[in-house]
Amino acid sequence: DAKTTQPNSMESNEEEPVHLPCNHSTISGTDYIHWYRQLPSQGPEYVIHGLTSNVNNRMASLAIAEDRKSSTLILHRATLRDAAVYYCILRDDKIIFGKGTRLHILP
Amino acid sequence: DAGVIQSPRHEVTEMGQEVTLRCKPISGHNSLFWYRQTMMRGLELLIYFNNNVPIDDSGMPEDRFSAKMPNASFSTLKIQPSEPRDSAVYFCASSLARQGRAGELFFGEGSRLTVL
């Protein structure tokens, strides 16, 4: 079973920031938090990951709570191409995907 | 880099036939994963390998499914005999694990299997 909890779906307007939440209350001290997304008819693609500190890359930012029991993926300026299913997972030896959050972007 | 390469991209077969799906991981990666995706069950981990050795195959549905990794650059997932309920998209992914830290997964484009 997936060890993370995410909302089933979210909506956002184009060119606005999007905050995708994830709860992982059973996280262990060595689990990395990974985010992937799956565009329609494609395989999942890596977005970002972190352990304790907030992380930024060209695709997104990851904000991790101080107790590490939750995190938020931030898309700073959503475009129509960001419409996808976003998965938050805890990375140990194997990666178990939950159902993710389906993000809809409204033009 | 060519990325993870899967073949075939699409396969249509009849119930009872043998199906072999192939995967070439990214060069230098030492972990390989096979997933299956359906609308009903989402993305399911079937099996994963570290350094060509199967580590966890608890997700393999039943004995009709088998996976091998004869070397670091090739893996197969075989279904024999196939059944209509095996229809799904099968993804292969690879990653580089180093110093006890597991890296991000890179996925192939998937093999869409339809069993009639």
Side-chain angles (χ1 to χ4, degrees), chain B residues 11 16 20-21 23-24 29 40 48 51 56-57 63 71 80 82 96 99 103-104 112-113:
Chain B
E11 172 122 1
T20 299
L21 307 177
C23 176
K24 176 178 168 55
H29 281 190
M40 291 296 293
Y48 76 97
N51 297 313
D56 188 334
D57 65 355
D63 291 345
N71 57 61
Q80 181 185 21
S82 58
L96 175 62
Q99 296 180 339
E104 59 267 33
R112 180 175 294 277
L113 173 64

Side-chain angles (χ1 to χ4, degrees), chain B residues 81-103:
Chain B
S82 58
E83 297 182 2
R85 59 188 168 137
D86 301 330
S87 298
V89 181
Y90 291 81
F91 289 104
C92 174
S94 70
S95 73
L96 175 62
R98 49 192 165 191
Q99 296 180 339
R101 182 182 156 182

Side-chain angles (χ1 to χ4, degrees), chain A residues 36 38 46 91 93-95, chain B residues 35 37 48 56 103-105:
Chain A
Y36 291 77
Q38 188 172 19
Y46 166 80
R91 177 69 161 111
D93 283 349
K94 59 185 182 182
I95 289 191
Chain B
Y35 288 87
Q37 187 171 36
Y48 76 97
D56 188 334
E104 59 267 33
L105 262 60

Side-chain angles (χ1 to χ4, degrees), chain B residues 68-83:
Chain B
K68 293 182 180 179
M69 192 164 187
N71 57 61
S73 59
F74 184 65
S75 177
T76 59
L77 178 68
K78 186 176 290 186
I79 308 172
Q80 181 185 21
S82 58
E83 297 182 2

Side-chain angles (χ1 to χ4, degrees), chain B:
Chain B
D1 198 328
V4 175
I5 300 173
Q6 292 187 245
S7 64
R9 291 293 312 280
H10 301 274
E11 172 122 1
V12 180
T13 190
E14 292 188 345
M15 183 173 62
Q17 296 297 306
E18 176 181 301
V19 173
T20 299
L21 307 177
R22 298 172 178 80
C23 176
K24 176 178 168 55
I26 292 173
S27 176
H29 281 190
N30 55 6
S31 295
L32 185 138
F33 302 75
W34 281 101
Y35 288 87
R36 175 173 70 174
Q37 187 171 36
T38 61
M39 287 292 293
M40 291 296 293
R41 302 174 69 90
L43 263 170
E44 300 174 277
L45 176 63
L46 300 178
I47 185 171
Y48 76 97
F49 297 82
N50 279 349
N51 297 313
N52 313 338
V53 176
I55 303 299
D56 188 334
D57 65 355
S58 59
M60 296 285 261
E62 49 199 271
D63 291 345
R64 297 184 298 107
F65 285 68
S66 63
K68 293 182 180 179
M69 192 164 187
N71 57 61
S73 59
F74 184 65
S75 177
T76 59
L77 178 68
K78 186 176 290 186
I79 308 172
Q80 181 185 21
S82 58
E83 297 182 2
R85 59 188 168 137
D86 301 330
S87 298
V89 181
Y90 291 81
F91 289 104
C92 174
S94 70
S95 73
L96 175 62
R98 49 192 165 191
Q99 296 180 339
R101 182 182 156 182
E104 59 267 33
L105 262 60
F106 293 84
F107 282 79
E109 294 185 320
S111 295
R112 180 175 294 277
L113 173 64
T114 302
V115 183
L116 303 175

